[in-house]
Each structure stands twice: as structure tokens, then as C-alpha cells.
Amino acid sequence: MKNLLRSTILAAGVLLPFAATAASPEAAPVQALDDALIATMKAGSAGQGFDARVAALGPVVESSYNLAEVEKNSVGFLWSTIPAAQQQELAAQFEKFTVASYVAEFAKYGGEKIELLPTEKTVGADKIVETQIVPADGSAPTRLDYVVSDGPMGWQITDVLLNGTISQVAIHSSDFSSLVTSGDATQLIDALKKKTATLASSSGSL
């Protein structure tokens, strides 16, 4: 779990299915991602290839996350200095990397479940949806919270908090800071391409 938060975005942290209850509008994007990740893991256990799982999970990640906001916050104040063409390329590579990271991390299904905790916190205009991942072997659950924001596409994930405190966006910001200079994100774009290729290769798709 910690490796996924360090390697992605969406993170992501990460997710397994909710208990069978109707999700609030704030929790709906988290539940949608959870359900898709369960399907991804089951597909991996059934022998489905990496690329096919990426293709299936990608649209759900795109709709559940506000990836543009996550990316902008991860890059930080230098985002506005990056040329528009590089911003578009960076957005495409960031999404590919995020999805590939989920598929590589959640490769097999082991009976895990996730429980939506009853309390939702309010932080300014945002909500924090609290969950815990419960392993099938009865070991201690892992706390995983999601910051969700209401934007043009409705409620979407804008950050993931491992153990309720460790911000995925903050980790990204630390990792990205040395790869972006004023007006140039070439190093970061190249790094994301290489990381995505490594994930695919190690999972047997290349």
C-alpha cells in the first residue's frame, strides 16, 4: 500500500469494495473505484493480461479522480509556468502512470474487503471519506481516507490519505520537485513514461 502511494496518484491508495450500502454523493467516486479495483484483481487472478486490465480500469480512474487537480497540486507553483503543450502531455502520462500503478499493485484478488466508516469530515469545501481495508486473513485493517471535492464533474477524489495522515499529493510533490523547472516539465514527462513502461514490463505486457 505504501509503495502505491509513493509510486502514483491516485492515488492512490488503495481501494477494495465497500459494504453493500448506498454511497453518499461524496463517497460515490470512491465506491466506483473500489468496485473497479476488485474487478481488476479478479481479472488478474483469472489470467487476464495487463493491457486489458489497464483498458478496463482507465475510464473509472478518469471519472473517479479529478486528475487535473491532483496533477496541478502535485507539481505545485511551477505548474503555471509549464507550456500548454507540455501540460497536455504531462496530463496524459500522469493518467497512464496512475492507472498502470493501480493495475500492477492490485494484480491478484485475495478476498480483501473495504468498509466505509460512518463519519465524513468536512475541511473547508472538501469532504474526507473514511475507509478501512480489511484483509481476508483477519489481520489488522489499514485506514485509508479520501479527500473529495465538488467540481464541474461532481464529487471526485483529489487526494488519498494513508493511515488518515500521509498525503499522496504531498508525496508526489516531493518526488516531482526535482524533475520540474520553470517553464519545463520534460524530465517529469520522461520519468513518468519510463515508470509506466517498467510497470507494464514487470507485469509481462511487454
Side-chain angles (χ1 to χ4, degrees):
M1 186 64 60
K2 292 181 181 178
N3 288 340
L4 179 63
L5 285 173
R6 179 160 293 279
S7 65
T8 63
I9 159 205
L10 212 101
V14 182
L15 322 168
L16 302 167
F18 284 109
T21 58
S24 66
E26 296 89 345
V30 180
Q31 180 168 11
L33 184 57
D34 288 348
D35 292 343
L37 284 170
I38 281 290
T40 297
M41 289 189 287
K42 289 182 176 180
S45 293
Q48 188 178 70
F50 184 87
D51 291 341
R53 283 176 280 147
V54 165
L57 183 61
V60 182
V61 170
E62 184 177 1
S63 62
S64 296
Y65 269 91
N66 185 338
L67 285 173
E69 189 70 13
V70 174
E71 177 190 357
K72 183 173 68 174
N73 291 338
S74 297
V75 172
F77 71 94
L78 289 177
W79 172 259
S80 62
T81 73
I82 299 172
Q86 283 194 6
Q87 288 183 351
Q88 292 174 3
E89 177 65 10
L90 182 55
Q93 297 305 324
F94 185 73
E95 180 175 345
K96 289 178 181 179
F97 172 64
T98 300
V99 177
S101 296
Y102 271 121
V103 172
E105 184 75 11
F106 293 92
K108 304 292 181 183
Y109 181 63
E112 304 89 343
K113 66 178 181 178
I114 198 167
E115 296 174 346
L116 180 64
L117 301 181
T119 302
E120 288 183 4
K121 297 178 181 178
T122 299
V123 181
D126 297 336
K127 299 283 189 178
I128 298 179
V129 178
E130 301 178 347
T131 71
Q132 61 180 7
I133 298 173
V134 182
D137 62 6
S139 57
T142 298
R143 175 75 172 274
L144 198 64
D145 298 345
Y146 302 89
V147 181
V148 294
S149 304
D150 193 11
M153 302 299 293
W155 289 96
Q156 291 181 299
I157 299 166
T158 54
D159 202 359
V160 182
L161 307 176
L162 179 63
N163 294 326
T165 59
I166 303 172
S167 164
Q168 183 180 34
V169 167
I171 292 171
H172 284 330
S173 181
S174 176
D175 291 343
F176 292 176
S177 61
S178 63
L179 299 174
V180 179
T181 59
S182 182
D184 187 14
T186 302
Q187 290 186 76
L188 178 55
I189 291 169
D190 289 345
L192 290 174
K193 287 180 179 179
K194 290 176 182 177
K195 288 177 181 293
T196 302
T198 297
L199 290 167
S201 179
S202 64
S203 299
S205 78
L206 295 178

